[in-house]
Amino acid sequence: MKKFFFLLAVLLTPNLILSQSIIWLNYSHPQQRATYDASFSFDGTKVLTGSECHEAHIRIFDAVNGNMLWDYQLDTTLYCVQGVKFSVGGTQFVAAEETGNLLLFDYSGPVPAIVDTIVTGNAAALSVDFDAAGNNLLIGGYNFYRIYNIPSKTFTANVNAHTGLIWAASYSHNGQWILTGATDDKAKIFNVSGGLVRTLTGHTGDVMTAKFSSNDSIIVTGSRDDKIKVWNSNTGALIRTISGHTGDVMRIDISPDDRFIASASADATVRIWDLQTGTQLASIADTSGSFVYSVQWSNDGTKLLTGNGATQVILYDVSAVDRKSTRLNSSH
């Protein structure tokens, strides 16, 4: 009987409130510093975080229980960590430090070891991504994105992509495209040789975040204009604009099955949307009431990892959203 009433509530509630569905909560910094990024390892067993400065910390947590496994304090000459990323194989990870440096770590043994501090020569390093082979790093900086080849320790591309800070830079899943978003209110698609494929215009604020769907046919962007936009990546056509946030959209992620969008915002919420319709399915009020800087889906699509302005790293259970969506669709 309890199960029946729970399912009925899921079906009838227009927006699930999931603020109490916390699996674990920990901290990216020993003091009150924001968690600027939090990311799962490819196999989903670890969580990597990067914090505000000064001094910034990089930490690794057990994804199951949230226990901290490793802590690294950046040198006093370095500033905030804006982005962190594991390689596909999980034997490497990288942190982008805001003044233009990358810290590359080897994680093939039980304890990570720093193997390289990469000076990009750019005024900023705000976003970073590995290619699928783990040989190249894509770095979003100021005006330019750069590509660094790890085996040869050389930069192989330096592309004048935007006017201003490049907040988002990532490879497509098929490895053929590069997607960027910047303070010029634009998102852009480049081929891997640096040629501009198309420009996505329509936001009226910094494009803070941009992601491909799993088959690369859809792009989702989020902006400081409080809006989320969904695009056809093959044509550049705008499919829909999603409104609802009342603050900057700092980060978005698309669920592994391409059914949902999760968005993190300066309005102190994480929200979940139906990718196909733009309908808001859930709202998670941040426990600290502060900016939510990052969000990422777990591999199985039942959990969300977030980082907020109060140092917190939080893993939420959002499996109720899938149950709600299934019942809403089946009722139509």
Side-chain angles (χ1 to χ4, degrees):
M1 186 61 71
K2 288 182 179 179
K3 183 177 180 181
F4 169 78
F5 285 114
F6 171 78
L7 295 178
L8 184 62
V10 167
L11 180 61
L12 296 178
T13 304
N15 284 300
L16 288 173
I17 306 300
L18 298 172
S19 58
Q20 301 305 312
S21 303
I22 294 175
I23 298 172
W24 57 259
L25 183 155
N26 212 324
Y27 301 90
S28 67
H29 196 282
Q31 300 172 27
Q32 191 76 6
R33 303 288 187 269
T35 304
Y36 279 157
D37 199 12
S39 179
F40 285 108
S41 58
F42 186 74
D43 64 3
T45 63
K46 305 289 193 306
V47 166
L48 178 66
T49 65
S51 81
E52 185 187 10
C53 44
H54 202 245
E55 287 77 29
H57 279 248
I58 304 167
R59 287 182 166 180
I60 295 176
F61 302 88
D62 186 308
V64 174
N65 54 33
N67 291 341
M68 187 172 70
L69 304 175
W70 178 79
D71 177 47
Y72 181 89
Q73 180 178 301
L74 271 64
D75 184 88
T76 56
T77 61
L78 301 176
Y79 288 82
C80 305
V81 175
Q82 294 287 343
V84 291
K85 184 80 174 185
F86 275 104
S87 64
V88 170
T91 59
Q92 299 178 97
F93 63 86
V94 66
E97 181 269 339
E98 65 180 355
T99 65
N101 300 289
L102 299 182
L103 281 69
L104 181 64
F105 292 83
D106 178 87
Y107 198 14
S108 57
V111 179
I114 189 165
V115 293
D116 201 359
T117 299
I118 303 162
V119 180
T120 68
N122 196 297
L126 302 174
S127 47
V128 63
D129 194 20
F130 281 96
D131 68 356
N135 291 326
N136 294 290
L137 289 168
L138 170 66
I139 311 110
Y142 182 74
N143 294 341
F144 291 79
Y145 75 74
R146 305 198 75 181
I147 296 176
Y148 181 81
N149 182 261
I150 297 170
S152 67
K153 295 188 175 184
T154 59
F155 287 97
T156 58
N158 188 34
V159 177
N160 192 346
H162 289 271
T163 302
L165 299 171
I166 300 176
W167 292 108
S170 61
Y171 287 102
S172 61
H173 295 89
N174 63 16
Q176 297 178 4
W177 290 339
I178 287 169
L179 177 62
T180 58
T183 56
D184 57 10
D185 305 350
K186 297 178 177 65
K188 294 185 178 183
I189 305 170
F190 298 85
N191 60 39
V192 290
S193 299
L196 179 63
V197 176
R198 58 187 53 89
T199 300
L200 309 178
T201 58
H203 281 295
T204 57
D206 296 17
V207 177
M208 301 298 295
T209 177
K211 289 287 181 70
F212 283 104
S213 62
S214 63
N215 64 2
D216 299 319
S217 65
I218 297 293
I219 288 171
V220 181
T221 57
S223 168
R224 280 191 163 145
D225 63 11
D226 306 349
K227 301 292 192 296
I228 299 165
K229 291 183 182 288
V230 181
W231 315 80
N232 182 313
S233 59
N234 293 302
T235 66
L238 177 65
I239 298 172
R240 69 179 52 85
T241 297
I242 299 173
S243 301
H245 279 296
T246 58
D248 303 349
V249 179
M250 306 301 294
R251 195 72 57 86
I252 60 92
D253 197 25
I254 303 172
S255 62
D257 59 7
D258 291 336
R259 294 173 60 201
F260 308 119
I261 302 166
S263 55
S265 174
D267 67 11
T269 68
V270 173
R271 305 191 189 203
I272 301 175
W273 317 82
D274 186 295
L275 178 60
Q276 297 302 315
T277 65
T279 302
Q280 182 174 308
L281 299 173
S283 178
I284 303 172
D286 182 74
T287 59
S288 69
S290 62
F291 277 41
V292 187
Y293 284 101
S294 68
V295 65
Q296 186 180 7
W297 290 93
S298 62
N299 289 343
D300 64 3
T302 66
K303 294 175 280 294
L304 282 178
L305 177 69
T306 70
N308 67 25
T311 320
Q312 295 172 346
V313 187
I314 305 173
L315 186 67
Y316 292 96
D317 177 359
V318 294
S319 55
V321 174
D322 181 71
R323 293 192 292 271
K324 176 190 176 183
S325 177
T326 298
R327 282 159 180 80
L328 285 174
N329 291 332
S330 64
S331 67
H332 292 158

